[in-house]
Amino acid sequence: MQLGMIGLGRMGADLVRRLMRHGHRCVVHDVQPAAIDVLQNAGAVGAASIDEMMSLLEGPRILWLMVPAGAVEAALADLWSRLAPGDIVIDGGNSYCRDDMKRSVELGSKGIHFVDVGISGGTSGLARGYCLMIGGEEDVVVYLTPLFTALACDAHDAREDAGKHATHDIGLATDSSAATAQSGYLYCGLHGAGHFVKMIHNGIEYGMMAAYAEGLNILRCANVGTQKQEVGAEVTPLRHPEYYQYTFDLADIAEVWRHGSVIDSWLLGKVAEMLRTDPTLAQFAGRVSDSGEGRWSVEAAIDEGVPAPVLSAALYARFASRGQSVFADKLLSAMRYAFGGHLDIATPRDA
Amino acid sequence: MQLGMIGLGRMGADLVRRLMRHGHRCVVHDVQPAAIDVLQNAGAVGAASIDEMMSLLEGPRILWLMVPAGAVEAALADLWSRLAPGDIVIDGGNSYCRDDMKRSVELGSKGIHFVDVGISGGTSGLARGYCLMIGGEEDVVVYLTPLFTALACDAHDAREDAGKHATHDIGLATDSSAATAQSGYLYCGLHGAGHFVKMIHNGIEYGMMAAYAEGLNILRCANVGTQKQEVGAEVTPLRHPEYYQYTFDLADIAEVWRHGSVIDSWLLGKVAEMLRTDPTLAQFAGRVSDSGEGRWSVEAAIDEGVPAPVLSAALYARFASRGQSVFADKLLSAMRYAFGGHLDIATPRDA
Amino acid sequence: MQLGMIGLGRMGADLVRRLMRHGHRCVVHDVQPAAIDVLQNAGAVGAASIDEMMSLLEGPRILWLMVPAGAVEAALADLWSRLAPGDIVIDGGNSYCRDDMKRSVELGSKGIHFVDVGISGGTSGLARGYCLMIGGEEDVVVYLTPLFTALACDAHDAREDAGKHATHDIGLATDSSAATAQSGYLYCGLHGAGHFVKMIHNGIEYGMMAAYAEGLNILRCANVGTQKQEVGAEVTPLRHPEYYQYTFDLADIAEVWRHGSVIDSWLLGKVAEMLRTDPTLAQFAGRVSDSGEGRWSVEAAIDEGVPAPVLSAALYARFASRGQSVFADKLLSAMRYAFGGHLDIATPRDA
Amino acid sequence: MQLGMIGLGRMGADLVRRLMRHGHRCVVHDVQPAAIDVLQNAGAVGAASIDEMMSLLEGPRILWLMVPAGAVEAALADLWSRLAPGDIVIDGGNSYCRDDMKRSVELGSKGIHFVDVGISGGTSGLARGYCLMIGGEEDVVVYLTPLFTALACDAHDAREDAGKHATHDIGLATDSSAATAQSGYLYCGLHGAGHFVKMIHNGIEYGMMAAYAEGLNILRCANVGTQKQEVGAEVTPLRHPEYYQYTFDLADIAEVWRHGSVIDSWLLGKVAEMLRTDPTLAQFAGRVSDSGEGRWSVEAAIDEGVPAPVLSAALYARFASRGQSVFADKLLSAMRYAFGGHLDIATPRDA
């Protein structure tokens, strides 16, 4: 098939490369001309403007947006007058599913199809293939199948993976959605469904990341009994220093867990790799960003009245890592001072 | 009655003062001679040594320890050879109930009685009276009643308080324990029971403090929609800045809540006072101490298999305020870098 | 002053009574004629319809809505054609501040003023006075002052309260907002500000309630060491049953904490009262409702990027109490079965 | 090598089978004679008693305990008089590391070596190999290497796994501990180190399981907008039912995430398998057991002063699933009744 890719950042460029490997024709555009050049050298057709891109594509045209969530609205406004009935717009970024719903109605009023695709895989996806969560009109999604099979974590990998992980043979999927799921892409439902599932995917990702981070932090501090303790009435002394005399090699531990354990995961491979390379993680400041899906996952839980304590705790740890709890902490110290005359330690925070 | 007070810090000195106001004779000792002088000037009998204290008290002697939890063991070792059967040792500090059990057995083997008293009230207790949670042999506790009634938040206050808060008349207590509870002291059970109840008291205190701190932090940031937002794909933009245009006066809000609201409390009075005096709490660094009871409360919950998410969250906020999550945060950034090439903001934490 | 009260449920009726005690003329309406009759007998002017109410009030008219959040929209639609420029509509319920903003614009387009009032105090408010958090145009709020002073937790109580709780004299407020805060009502800011502050008030309320509930639950289970333990490899045995031999009287403990402790609060009075009356709380099923503010508080925290682990944990406990975590729990058991062959206990949940 | 295996439950029997496949001679004993017969038929040497087992093993003897944590003490007492200096006792169960420390000292006083091995892999381990976390004297652990390599997730799997997951070539390990980690077993440190690392492994496992369970529960309830809502002032209505109209196929979603996503894991394979087999998980009651390590992980975090909100939340969800929050929930309802006259829904909990 042929398609126009708008947005050639890390993800957009990799998608184009993988699509071209599978024989698809890609017309590419970015606000940075240099990004166009790079892909043109790799075999893509460069388009210096949206107008040029539209003219280089045959109808019905497939336009794939791969821009930050905050830039989608402007990109759609740009496209609006240039689109014709039957054209298909795909939003492959991390948009909020509520925006998908609104946009599908607006585009639909002009006969234009809208498809939302949540993509996971990161920088490994080019080689490994991606996991695709797709929303929109089912027949339109089916029509786009060749693109999704090109991008998805391919069938061979999937089989190998199933073989390694399954305790018994799952067998061939008996229905088509299950079959595509085993091939790394899934039609999830109407407009927004793809991004809804991706949102929860990321919510879970935050929770898993935090589980590893907390556990390894506890292991790292398992030598606390060997250290000189703070004195004074304000911090309780460690009752049993003899239990905390271990100095663990976190990189080795992360590595051994990758072989046969219940907590083995793709993410754990990344943890092991990073700890091997930089055991103290000195290159990181510990101010963790969040890109929206974790927040929206928690808001969905609240709207539904469903508890999500782990996903929330993982999110809050990121907020706190950016200093957002400092006023609350000061207020705790202020209360302690007011009722008990306690003066909390005033040295600066560790970094 | 007469008693020997060992430990004349903030709390010990105030207890002596309040006991003397109610006519009790206090022999006092501290490792700091100056602390003894101060109370001697206020009417107490100073004892330069434990030996002198023992000689100044008539048997059966009442020894009240008011020292940090970490110093109780040494204080008891000092007393051990000097105590006689029938003597009563009271631990009024924040000891762990498990230590009370052990100590009561050791002292009991020699015919010495042990009483654990959890005390709440802080620096306000001298004027207002204290809340006393008491464990030990019931007859020994009953014998000490005059001391407890002297220290407790007095009956007049109690009645007034009950009148103001009750929605209907609770009436006179029909049993004696309820009656003493209304007078600010309670026999809670055998050895350790007083400190167990005090431990949970402090666990709840941490939770309440955190509830106020979190809520006021949200109010403080309710102007976030007026601020220039961080840009980039890594932090989600605020979708509705128009909803966050409020600049609240936190001191006024804390104050108004003290008058007729469901969340009025003694602690809220302290919050209002601190916010009035220092609206930005600039004098506090936001590194919050914890003195043990919050930890032991959570451990008790875990031993019992009872969920305590609020008490735990309050405790962890204190740990994190002291920089104890930084390695975990760095690991989150490291994972984000490894799988997505994301580089988290590297500026130093706010203070 | 005179005003029309629409909605004569528990809160609406009590507000009318307290307003009349302070000499205000109240025209009252409810969809239930019986509710009108009751207040008419108490001195109010009954209005069988909105039209009748409008005719009984002199302009500019003050209309006070005291209906469920879900019914405000319909009530405003009813009023819309009957309102004249200069009229004032007050929403005293638990509406979402975002709705206040929208409604103030709509009403404002016709010259009608909108005021949002968050009210705390519950069924005790009639006698004790209420805590009022107010948003809208400042001059309109000032104009309504006589109503707010009538309803608020009155000055005498306020002074007495301040005297009892303050550790040192706070002194007279130096600015007018602080002065009204000490009288139980506060102008918080533009439209929605009152309900925003009330929202956070309730978020804190959830957190405080959960802190007490968790702590008392731990105390209740402090006898777990006396009970026969479940056997088998799937549940860890209690390592130290000797530490959990206490049988605590929760009512007495709640009561003693009310006298001189750091965790004394108005709410604790309610806890003590309920535990005294019904120690096992057998009349309650333990399915806890939530009326929105707790959810919105957490969503505000997330929008602002501020951690709120305690407020969230308190909210989730309510969701879980209504069975909303059961599928997640089943999935945990399913995973345990899949990887370890573990069969979790299948007996029904305790009640 | 040869060894005696005591305890032939699910795990013990599978360990024996895997050891025999690699040519090790296994003498086996269990309190259930039938369990001995089964393995004898599979090639093991049965021992009807501990005495018989001891006589069938050449010195220095290797005794591997594979019994519930609660039964280790009795098993060691049984062995005590029969052990000779130089013998090695391995505890492969889920014992608490603190017990390992104590036991290693006791056994060491008699010249007997103690080794603690935390084992992960569950019922899949027989085919896939196990992940082994080992503590004790290093030379003793090195001596036992042939047993560990037989049991561990073997080198071939390890290489394949590394190849699939790594984004770039990690290369051969440069030190020996890293090398064994890549082969699925790791010497972690002195006595208790193996079980300490296994404890944290399980703590993380709880967190990961909860992350999946919460996320999938949110997806499951994404159709809440299609359902008739509860009415009344006590539960807030869903503001935007239009956003919650999705009916997701959870089994397909779990499956697609296994192919190329960031949250792919071995555990997710189990989730997909269970949801495929039994989409409503009707066979599970949702009362989730916990076997100790999750609790001890949290206690270690608290002792170290390190925040662990995710691990704690995961643990508490299990406690609550067993009805352990019901009293706290009732108290919340009681407070709501006391201050606001609210009567919470009294219908039984969902199942």
Side-chain angles (χ1 to χ4, degrees), chain B residues 167 177 191 244 246 252 270, chain C residues 167 177 191 246 252 270 303:
Chain B
T167 45
S177 71
H191 302 291
Y244 296 95
Y246 300 112
D252 284 350
K270 300 302 179 189
Chain C
T167 46
S177 71
H191 303 290
Y246 300 113
D252 284 349
K270 300 302 177 188
D303 280 348

Side-chain angles (χ1 to χ4, degrees), chain B residues 98 101 120-121 124 128-133 153 158 160-162 164-165 167-168 170 175 177-178 181-182 184-186 188 190-193 196-197 200-201 204-205 207-208 210-212 214-215 217-219 221-222 224 238 242-244 246 248 252-253 255-267 270 273 276 297 299-301 303-304 306-311 313-314, chain C residues 98 101 120-121 124 128-133 153 158 160-162 164-165 167-168 170 175 177-178 181-182 184-186 188 190-193 196-197 200-201 204-205 207-208 210-212 214-215 217-219 221-222 224 238 242-244 246 248 252-253 255-267 270 273 276 297 299-301 303-304 306-311 313-314:
Chain B
R98 301 184 179 187
M101 296 181 194
S120 183
S124 307
R128 176 195 184 211
Y130 298 93
C131 173
L132 305 173
M133 297 148 265
C153 187
E160 191 173 272
D161 197 59
K164 187 166 77 73
H165 283 175
T167 45
H168 56 75
I170 295 181
D175 56 276
S177 71
Q182 289 184 12
Y185 67 98
L186 182 70
C188 297
L190 287 179
H191 302 291
F196 195 108
V197 174
I200 299 299
H201 168 283
I204 293 172
E205 178 187 300
M208 288 176 64
Y212 287 126
E214 289 182 9
N217 199 15
I218 303 172
L219 285 174
C221 295
V224 72
L238 183 59
E242 71 273 20
Y243 295 149
Y244 296 95
Y246 300 112
F248 291 120
D252 284 350
I253 289 172
E255 182 62 36
V256 79
W257 286 344
R258 298 182 60 217
H259 304 281
S261 94
V262 170
I263 63 171
D264 181 23
S265 72
W266 183 80
L267 200 53
K270 300 302 179 189
E273 186 185 314
R276 177 72 60 213
S297 291
E299 291 182 349
D303 280 348
E304 297 176 5
V306 160
V310 161
L311 306 196
Chain C
R98 301 184 179 187
M101 296 181 194
S120 182
S124 307
R128 179 195 183 212
Y130 298 93
C131 173
L132 305 173
M133 297 148 263
C153 188
E160 191 174 89
D161 197 59
K164 187 166 78 72
H165 283 175
T167 46
H168 57 75
I170 296 182
D175 56 276
S177 71
Q182 290 184 12
Y185 67 99
L186 182 70
C188 296
L190 287 179
H191 303 290
F196 195 109
V197 174
I200 298 300
H201 168 283
I204 293 171
E205 178 187 301
M208 288 176 63
Y212 288 126
E214 289 182 9
N217 198 17
I218 302 172
L219 285 174
C221 295
V224 71
L238 184 59
E242 69 274 21
Y243 294 150
Y244 296 95
Y246 300 113
F248 289 120
D252 284 349
I253 289 171
E255 182 62 36
V256 80
W257 286 343
R258 296 181 61 216
H259 305 281
S261 94
V262 170
I263 63 170
D264 181 21
S265 73
W266 184 81
L267 200 53
K270 300 302 177 188
E273 186 186 315
R276 177 72 61 213
S297 291
E299 289 182 349
D303 280 348
E304 298 175 5
V306 160
V310 160
L311 306 197

Side-chain angles (χ1 to χ4, degrees), chain D residues 280-293:
Chain D
T280 62
L281 305 174
Q283 67 188 293
F284 301 100
R287 293 174 60 90
V288 192
S289 298
D290 77 280
S291 55
E293 297 86 358

